[in-house]
Amino acid sequence: MERSARAFTHNAHKALADDVLQDNLVKLKGNFLVRRERARDSLPEFDVLRDEAKAIKDHTLAHLDLYLEAFEAQVTATGGQVHWARDAAEARAIVLEICRAEGARTVTKGKSMIAEEIALNPYLEAHGIEPVETDLGEYIIQLANEPPSHIIAPAIHKNRQQVAELFADNHAHLDGRLLDDIDDMLADARKVLRERFLKADIGITGANFMVAETGQTIIVTNEGNGDLTQLLPRVHIALASIEKAVPSLEDVTTILRVLARSATGQEMASYTTFSAGGRRDGETDGPEAFHVVIVDNGRSAMLGSEVQDMLRCIRCGCCLNACPVYGKLGGHVYGTTYSGPMGSVLSPSLFGIDEMHHLPNASTLCGRCEDVCPMRIPIPRMLRYWRERETERGLAPSTARWGLNLWSAFASRPTLYRRLMRIGVGVLGRLGRRHGGFANLPLAGGWTRAREMPAPEGQTFQDRWQRGERP
Ligand code: SF4
């Protein structure tokens, strides 16, 4: 997708003023988080599993080269082929080369964030190959010519009416007719996609995991479209980033137990599909050829760095669902492939803080993302890390930098700080006492535009603490 993270503030204002988007985003809380809570409560060992899943990923990242080499050896032994891509350009070129070698005109695609990250669809289109998204949410946003706005629910920002209009505009057989019923829409999408599945020369999927022990790629879906994408065409290409490696099948089963519960509140996703190699002698179905494209695109630079923990992410989307900022703005405002708390760490790590410096500030640092993350990723710590880099590089707005410098000058002189606080609290308390708060406060316009600033009451926190008052 085209990146527009620099326009985050402008995008955020637009999103807040978009009433339809605000209504649509309400679905997030009702749907995902409530179900996740139920799923967690019904599994007493949920937190133990999270610790085990974290340990598995930490171990894998510490020996990533070995596990990736072992994976390649197993894929080759089972008749598949592994390709290595240092960056997005190499990954796109490898996919195109395979498509050309197979004479492909149409490819079907299962949902894949790495394909979004490397902007595969526009590249294939520019080279005369038609990509067709087969996940329903991805299909809807492909019709709308939009990027996904959520990792696991790409069209969460659209409501039923908007989807009906997209179908009416794009499905010629509807002749402009609006479908009202969700089941009718599903049936209509199924009918259109069935023909595309049968016509496709190549199927491209992502991979939730690459198992080093067996050379298998694994996809986790709820619609079965991923299976049809990888089984029906002559060739299957699995795209995966390097951190998707996992040592063994037993390790995968541990992570799978926290993945679906965190993502959709299910015990297991409807389909968990293991692929190894192409069709063997005597087998009646499956692709004739199996390619795995393993993409780095900035991840190896994260290994051993302050943001290595982010590579544990299994793309469950739970931190997005829990984040109050994402909940108000949706995913498009972030202007890059990965949104929400995980995206605000991953995007600067992959694409550089210079371009992505607004994103680590798109958080209240409330910590809910870390609380719910099945892989125990310390997102707030890494957001602070990127904020520090932003300040060091002079990327923060000058008002914020001046404000922080001023505050730090006072905060490092405790006696002066206490005196000034006393004066400030006293003056504001007196001025605001009549109304109980301020509707407008100089230098705090961002706060008072949407809410009142309460007037201070009584004494400063330091004075009360010194007197021994404790909550
Ligand atoms: S950071 Fe954690 S909660 Fe967020 S998508 Fe990744 S694994 Fe899920």
Side-chain angles (χ1 to χ4, degrees):
M1 70 177 278
E2 202 176 316
R3 290 201 279 269
S4 59
R6 284 174 197 270
F8 177 82
T9 313
H10 170 75
N11 294 342
H13 284 299
K14 261 177 61 185
L16 288 172
D18 183 339
D19 293 338
V20 178
L21 175 69
Q22 292 302 316
D23 275 355
N24 295 348
L25 287 173
V26 171
K27 288 183 275 183
L28 269 179
K29 291 202 172 59
N31 284 353
F32 293 127
L33 267 192
V34 174
R35 281 196 253 155
R36 182 253 178 206
E37 301 296 300
R38 264 190 232 132
R40 183 205 56 188
D41 294 346
S42 64
L43 183 70
E45 68 269 35
F46 185 68
D47 282 333
V48 176
L49 285 171
R50 287 168 81 190
D51 292 333
E52 286 175 11
K54 172 188 180 294
I56 290 166
K57 270 293 199 186
D58 279 342
H59 167 82
T60 315
L61 292 172
H63 306 282
L64 194 55
D65 50 346
L66 299 179
Y67 286 118
L68 286 171
E69 280 172 16
F71 174 77
E72 180 180 27
Q74 288 303 322
V75 172
T76 311
T78 47
Q81 201 178 335
V82 169
H83 310 259
W84 299 92
R86 268 170 300 200
D87 54 26
E90 277 191 12
R92 289 189 298 254
I94 291 167
V95 174
L96 181 63
E97 206 181 299
I98 300 170
C99 290
R100 283 191 169 150
E102 297 291 338
R105 309 298 307 163
T106 309
V107 302
T108 41
K109 283 185 66 235
K111 195 163 81 57
S112 157
M113 292 309 287
I114 189 71
E116 291 291 333
E117 180 184 318
I118 65 169
L120 186 62
N121 282 7
Y123 183 80
L124 291 178
E125 279 164 13
H127 289 84
I129 296 166
E130 186 193 13
V132 181
E133 295 291 345
T134 61
D135 171 272
L136 183 62
E138 289 280 344
Y139 176 66
I140 290 167
I141 57 164
Q142 189 179 29
L143 294 182
N145 199 18
E146 290 175 9
S149 70
H150 190 287
I151 304 177
I152 59 158
I156 189 85
H157 57 291
K158 298 249 176 255
N159 61 26
R160 186 164 49 168
Q161 171 74 14
Q162 290 169 314
V163 175
E165 284 166 14
L166 281 169
F167 282 13
D169 291 345
N170 289 278
H171 292 174
H173 61 270
L174 286 178
D175 217 8
R177 186 165 53 92
L178 284 177
L179 298 171
D180 190 38
D181 188 74
I182 288 185
D183 287 341
D184 290 343
M185 287 188 220
L186 281 173
D188 199 51
R190 194 175 294 135
K191 182 175 154 188
V192 173
L193 286 173
R194 192 166 290 160
E195 287 164 22
R196 313 311 296 266
F197 278 125
L198 294 172
K199 263 172 59 183
D201 306 296
I202 292 183
I204 301 176
T205 65
N208 291 79
F209 305 101
M210 298 184 285
V211 187
E213 178 188 36
T214 58
Q216 289 165 307
T217 56
I218 300 177
I219 58 167
V220 180
T221 67
N222 270 322
E223 296 175 15
N225 66 301
D227 296 31
L228 294 174
T229 300
Q230 65 183 39
L231 289 175
L232 288 179
R234 279 182 289 118
V235 179
H236 173 206
I237 303 174
L239 278 169
S241 44
I242 55 172
E243 78 277 18
K244 296 292 170 80
V246 177
S248 67
L249 285 174
E250 196 175 335
D251 293 327
V252 166
T253 55
T254 301
I255 301 177
L256 283 172
R257 293 185 72 194
V258 292
L259 171 59
R261 285 178 168 89
S262 304
T264 49
Q266 295 163 283
E267 283 185 19
M268 286 290 281
S270 307
Y271 302 88
T272 302
T273 310
F274 297 64
S275 304
R279 189 188 305 181
R280 293 170 195 87
D281 290 343
E283 288 180 344
T284 51
D285 55 15
E288 288 159 21
F290 175 59
H291 297 268
V292 187
V293 182
I294 303 180
V295 187
D296 183 337
N297 209 26
R299 287 158 175 85
S300 53
M302 292 170 66
L303 288 169
S305 79
E306 298 274 354
V307 288
Q308 169 171 311
D309 289 342
M310 197 64 235
L311 294 173
R312 289 204 299 271
C313 177
I314 51 172
R315 311 285 189 266
C316 69
C318 196
C319 58
L320 277 61
N321 304 336
C323 176
V325 176
Y326 180 94
K328 278 309 278 179
L329 301 178
H332 283 165
V333 300
Y334 293 80
T336 180
T337 307
Y338 303 101
S339 59
M342 59 76 69
S344 296
V345 174
L346 187 59
S347 300
S349 308
L350 295 180
F351 313 125
I353 189 66
D354 289 355
E355 198 188 339
M356 300 285 151
H357 68 94
H358 287 300
L359 304 189
N361 297 298
S363 165
T364 60
L365 296 184
C366 64
R368 290 180 73 192
C369 47
E370 185 172 351
D371 285 349
V372 297
C373 176
M375 303 306 287
R376 298 209 186 277
I377 298 176
I379 297 175
R381 173 179 67 69
M382 291 186 286
L383 289 170
R384 279 197 298 276
Y385 168 80
W386 279 125
R387 288 185 187 190
E388 283 164 20
R389 302 293 82 72
E390 180 200 23
T391 308
E392 275 171 15
R393 295 171 72 85
L395 297 165
S398 52
T399 43
R401 271 183 289 137
W402 277 103
L404 280 174
N405 284 342
L406 198 65
W407 183 82
S408 110
F410 289 128
S412 51
R413 293 169 179 79
T415 313
L416 179 65
Y417 185 82
R418 266 199 296 274
R419 273 191 202 140
L420 280 170
M421 280 295 126
R422 244 176 248 144
I423 295 170
V425 163
V427 171
L428 286 178
R430 225 163 283 141
L431 288 176
R433 200 157 294 150
R434 240 181 61 205
H435 299 295
F438 300 91
N440 268 312
L441 206 58
L443 302 176
W447 174 277
T448 50
R449 234 192 326 272
R451 55 181 90 71
E452 281 214 332
M453 170 89 182
E457 291 174 16
Q459 290 158 329
T460 65
F461 173 78
Q462 288 104 333
D463 287 341
R464 296 175 68 176
W465 186 268
Q466 264 186 349
R467 278 210 314 274
E469 283 187 44
R470 299 288 185 270

